[in-house]
Amino acid sequence: MRLSFKEVKSLGLINRIPKDVVDSIQNSQNSQKKSRSKASQINPQQLLLDALLPVIPEAIAEQKNLIPGRKFRADIYLPSSRLIIEVDGFKEHYFIKENMHKTLDRQNLFTKHGFYTLRYYTSRIYKQLDGVIQEIVETHNNLKSKNF
């Protein structure tokens, strides 16, 4: 039978384990927590913007006032192609039904006003950043050549 360190502590068995082993387990758990927290601190929108700027220097983060009278902001905006890039976290955009409806209504409003939208979920940005950048660049170039 295996017990977690937390279970060992709760059962009062901790006093039977040598101190150096306890310290080693606690240090290991602390380093795992730190590495997880560092990964969760990486902002996917900033990661995407930082990777996009060398290729498309006109990329603007947090662009406001694209639609008069609306307080929407685009996560990333490419003015010459009117391309909006949205970074969607599951919890913020789709987990709650009301948020999902707002997200869809907002995208429709952008489209109604002549903007194009690409949406990316955070895990795709983390795992396939090069593919995401390539897709954005291709879409941006296609829109520029067709519409402007």
Side-chain angles (χ1 to χ4, degrees):
M1 171 169 72
R2 292 182 182 205
L3 297 174
S4 71
F5 186 67
K6 189 175 182 179
E7 291 169 322
V8 170
K9 284 173 66 175
S10 70
L11 292 171
L13 301 174
I14 197 78
N15 297 333
R16 297 181 186 174
I17 300 173
K19 176 136 176 55
D20 61 327
V21 174
V22 172
D23 290 343
S24 174
I25 292 169
Q26 286 177 327
N27 289 338
S28 173
Q29 287 181 336
N30 288 340
S31 68
Q32 287 175 359
K33 286 178 186 175
K34 284 180 185 175
S35 66
R36 271 188 254 135
S37 67
K38 282 182 183 176
S40 66
Q41 290 176 2
I42 298 171
N43 180 332
Q45 181 179 326
Q46 189 63 50
L47 178 68
L48 181 57
L49 180 67
D50 290 345
L52 194 58
L53 280 170
V55 185
I56 306 175
E58 70 177 281
I60 302 168
E62 306 288 329
Q63 178 65 51
K64 297 177 184 175
N65 303 319
L66 291 172
I67 300 173
R70 300 306 294 253
K71 293 184 179 181
F72 293 151
R73 89 174 152 67
D75 289 342
I76 299 172
Y77 179 56
L78 308 178
S80 66
S81 61
R82 296 181 60 86
L83 181 61
I84 292 170
I85 299 143
E86 292 290 305
V87 178
D88 295 343
F90 177 76
K91 184 173 70 173
E92 294 85 3
H93 292 274
Y94 301 106
F95 187 67
I96 299 170
K97 190 175 183 179
E98 180 182 321
N99 290 357
M100 182 184 69
H101 290 168
K102 286 180 183 178
T103 298
L104 295 173
D105 290 344
R106 187 169 164 260
Q107 179 167 338
N108 289 344
L109 195 56
F110 277 135
T111 302
K112 180 180 171 184
H113 283 84
F115 296 97
Y116 302 89
T117 307
L118 289 177
R119 305 192 82 84
Y120 295 99
Y121 48 95
T122 56
S123 64
R124 182 163 179 215
I125 292 169
Y126 291 135
K127 294 176 184 174
Q128 301 170 355
L129 184 59
D130 290 341
V132 169
I133 294 297
Q134 181 179 352
E135 190 173 87
I136 292 169
V137 169
E138 288 174 3
T139 304
H140 173 68
N141 291 336
N142 286 340
L143 290 171
K144 279 177 41 177
S145 67
K146 289 179 183 177
N147 296 319
F148 303 102

